[in-house]
Amino acid sequence: MSNIDFAQGSHTGLVREVNEDSYLASPQLGLWIVADGMGGHEAGEVASRIAVQEITHSIEQGLPLAEAIETAHRAIQAAARRGEGAAGMGSTVVAAKLDGLHYEIAWVGDSRAYWWNGSLHRLTTDHSYVQQLLNAGLITESEIPEHPYRHVISQALGVGGSGADNIKVDLVSGELGEGDALLLCSDGLSGEVADGDIAGILAETAGAQARVERLIAAALEAGGKDNVTVIVFARKD
């Protein structure tokens, strides 16, 4: 996929001892994934790794993106039943599939996708407790960063019942226009760096690699309290 400039990076952060994030950047498949594992050491990283592996395998087999994510959900549950990782382990995920210049983005949890075209647009809506409060009009956007339950998510891969029916994979799609870029990230970025600051970095920085490095550095400068993973890809003209 020679018309796409992309880069990826991940950092454990300044507080955590283990990086439970996993990611994939495969221009050959037109597939980019960020998965943020949870469940503690030897569990979160297992769940996120399984998520990336299973989604990739399913895409290679020709499955649609949403079905690939549902397959990963079941695979994490099966692994926990086998004693791999730990009971109750899970992972958020955001994945982008590019077909030519048409993109589809699917997600579960609070890992995010943004579209940049000179201004920043959040494409995903967090599956989180505070998002539910916001939707209900019980809190405002400005209250979210300091809310005590801001990290509580409402659904994740591997968590819940035994089937795919207990997760809802959300989807958005669009076209990658001239000068457009897509950003995928774990909440180690979005939880530390405000959208306005992310926009500023994308505006000031050219090239996918430089953007990834600047964004990760900004998350660390803000405290680096979580693992941070960032993927940026853009159309080259």
Side-chain angles (χ1 to χ4, degrees):
M1 194 168 282
S2 59
N3 63 332
I4 297 296
D5 174 35
F6 71 94
Q8 67 282 329
S10 188
H11 196 287
T12 304
L14 304 178
V15 176
R16 303 288 180 90
E17 293 184 359
V18 175
N19 192 342
E20 296 182 87
D21 290 358
S22 298
Y23 63 91
L24 173 90
S26 175
Q28 296 85 3
L29 290 173
L31 180 65
W32 288 263
I33 308 169
V34 170
D36 181 354
M38 56 196 187
H41 182 39
E42 297 181 349
E45 64 267 35
V46 171
S48 67
R49 174 176 52 79
I50 292 170
V52 168
Q53 290 175 343
E54 289 294 327
I55 293 167
T56 303
H57 178 69
S58 294
I59 294 296
E60 289 173 337
Q61 301 300 309
L63 265 65
L65 190 54
E67 288 185 33
I69 290 174
E70 290 171 354
T71 299
H73 169 61
R74 293 190 294 270
I76 293 168
Q77 292 176 323
R81 288 195 296 271
R82 293 193 304 270
E84 185 179 350
M89 67 179 177
S91 180
T92 72
V93 69
V94 59
K97 182 76 173 68
L98 201 58
D99 182 10
L101 294 174
H102 177 80
Y103 65 81
E104 184 176 57
I105 292 171
W107 73 98
V108 173
D110 61 356
S111 290
R112 289 182 180 178
Y114 294 88
W115 172 44
W116 170 259
N117 66 340
S119 58
L120 191 68
H121 310 269
R122 192 190 307 173
L123 295 175
T124 54
T125 303
D126 294 346
H127 299 150
S128 66
Y129 177 64
V130 289
Q131 184 65 47
Q132 291 175 337
L133 293 178
L134 182 66
N135 293 348
L138 298 174
I139 62 172
T140 64
E141 189 87 40
S142 63
E143 292 177 86
I144 289 177
E146 301 301 324
H147 198 283
Y149 298 122
R150 64 189 179 279
H151 296 302
V152 177
I153 59 175
S154 55
Q155 62 168 355
L157 303 186
V159 180
S162 60
D165 55 350
N166 62 303
I167 62 165
K168 179 181 181 295
V169 182
D170 277 340
L171 289 164
V172 294
S173 61
E175 297 291 324
L176 203 57
E178 184 175 350
D180 289 356
L182 290 173
L183 161 65
L184 309 182
C185 66
S186 62
D187 71 337
L189 176 66
S190 58
E192 297 278 21
V193 184
D195 285 7
D197 295 325
I198 292 173
I201 290 170
L202 294 176
E204 296 164 4
T205 313
Q209 186 64 48
R211 283 171 162 174
V212 166
E213 291 171 1
R214 285 279 312 277
L215 289 165
I216 291 176
L220 299 179
E221 289 164 9
K225 293 185 289 292
D226 201 354
N227 312 142
V228 54
T229 300
V230 178
I231 295 177
V232 172
F233 62 97
R235 173 178 169 178
K236 290 192 296 188
D237 291 292

